[in-house]
Amino acid sequence: KNQVEQSPQSLIILEGKNCTLQCNYTVSPFSNLRWYKQDTGRGPVSLTIMTFSENTKSNGRYTATLDADTKQSSLHITASQLSDSASYICVAHGTGGGADGLTFGKGTHLIIQP
Amino acid sequence: SQTIHQWPATLVQPVGSPLSLECTVEGTSNPNLYWYRQAAGRGLQLLFYSVGIGQISSEVPQNLSASRPQDRQFILSSKKLLLSDSGFYLCAWSGEANYNEQFFGPGTRLTVL
């Protein structure tokens, strides 16, 4: 069964600090992995998409890594800002994940404190 | 550029009442369209998927139905709402480019009382 597990469930850090969110997936066959940012009460917004051949991809202060061998991904946020407070959702794309091919994690709820 | 709209933004409905949520996409043609539900503490659950006008795939048995009367319009409906239908409903679209990357709408918060 395709699964995506994210950790931690929630995280509180001080503004300006760095943090790393984790994602483990079991999706086969695997196509790509996506990270979304979802502000409270809003739709998710794509941060990165990585195929199995990509190890890292950056989007501003967000850097995602992917290890297709261990089926792990991480999202690193540098110099956090108050606006980074949101849920971060990891999504694995594979042909066995339903009509959309996607398996969603439950998200990590990140709170940035001033 | 492409944009996706959903309305209403919030909705409070009594049990047993009908439902109609609308989603429209601008700036693209023949998109794949999706309806998701997001319950508190849970991941997004795919409800319906459409690759074209009148073509609807249902992923889970439920009290809801979907229709696609026009290329860029996707409607989520129910004849009689249940308490368990409460949640955050998201519409999304994807195209052929960039691994069918999905773009989500702003969502509708539905509360059934």
Side-chain angles (χ1 to χ4, degrees), chain A residues 10-63:
Chain A
S10 61
L11 181 63
I12 302 174
I13 65 171
L14 293 175
E15 185 180 10
K17 298 295 186 181
N18 304 334
C19 66
T20 301
L21 314 181
Q22 301 291 343
C23 173
N24 296 337
Y25 64 92
T26 53
V27 170
S28 182
F30 173 74
S31 175
N32 58 74
L33 188 127
R34 313 167 183 202
W35 282 95
Y36 285 89
K37 177 187 178 187
Q38 185 177 21
D39 293 320
T40 301
R42 308 287 294 273
V45 174
S46 179
L47 294 175
T48 63
I49 295 179
M50 290 183 292
T51 66
F52 61 87
S53 61
E54 295 177 286
N55 298 121
T56 185
K57 183 166 282 189
S58 292
N59 179 357
R61 293 179 297 101
Y62 301 101
T63 299

Side-chain angles (χ1 to χ4, degrees), chain B residues 59-79:
Chain B
E59 285 297 291
V60 294
Q62 60 207 308
N63 185 42
L64 302 169
S65 62
S67 62
R68 186 170 177 174
Q70 300 180 43
D71 180 46
R72 288 168 286 179
Q73 184 185 31
F74 206 21
I75 297 173
L76 184 69
S77 304
S78 174
K79 292 182 179 179

Side-chain angles (χ1 to χ4, degrees), chain A residues 51-97:
Chain A
T51 66
F52 61 87
S53 61
E54 295 177 286
N55 298 121
T56 185
K57 183 166 282 189
S58 292
N59 179 357
R61 293 179 297 101
Y62 301 101
T63 299
T65 65
L66 175 65
D67 186 334
D69 292 329
T70 62
K71 298 184 175 158
Q72 296 179 326
S73 177
S74 66
L75 181 69
H76 186 75
I77 304 175
T78 304
S80 61
Q81 300 177 359
L82 297 178
S83 60
D84 293 330
S85 295
S87 286
Y88 291 84
I89 302 172
C90 175
V91 186
H93 184 207
T95 57

Side-chain angles (χ1 to χ4, degrees), chain A residues 32 34 36 38 41-44 46 49 51 89 93 98-100 102 104-106, chain B residues 34 36 38 41-44 46 49 59 88 90 98-102 104-106:
Chain A
N32 58 74
R34 313 167 183 202
Y36 285 89
Q38 185 177 21
R42 308 287 294 273
S46 179
I49 295 179
T51 66
I89 302 172
H93 184 207
D100 59 350
L102 301 178
F104 289 83
K106 296 180 181 180
Chain B
Y34 313 81
Y36 289 92
Q38 187 177 36
R42 303 180 67 176
L44 273 73
L46 178 64
Y49 168 63
E59 285 297 291
F88 192 50
L90 287 160
N98 200 22
Y99 308 104
N100 282 319
E101 179 180 4
Q102 289 189 319
F104 288 86

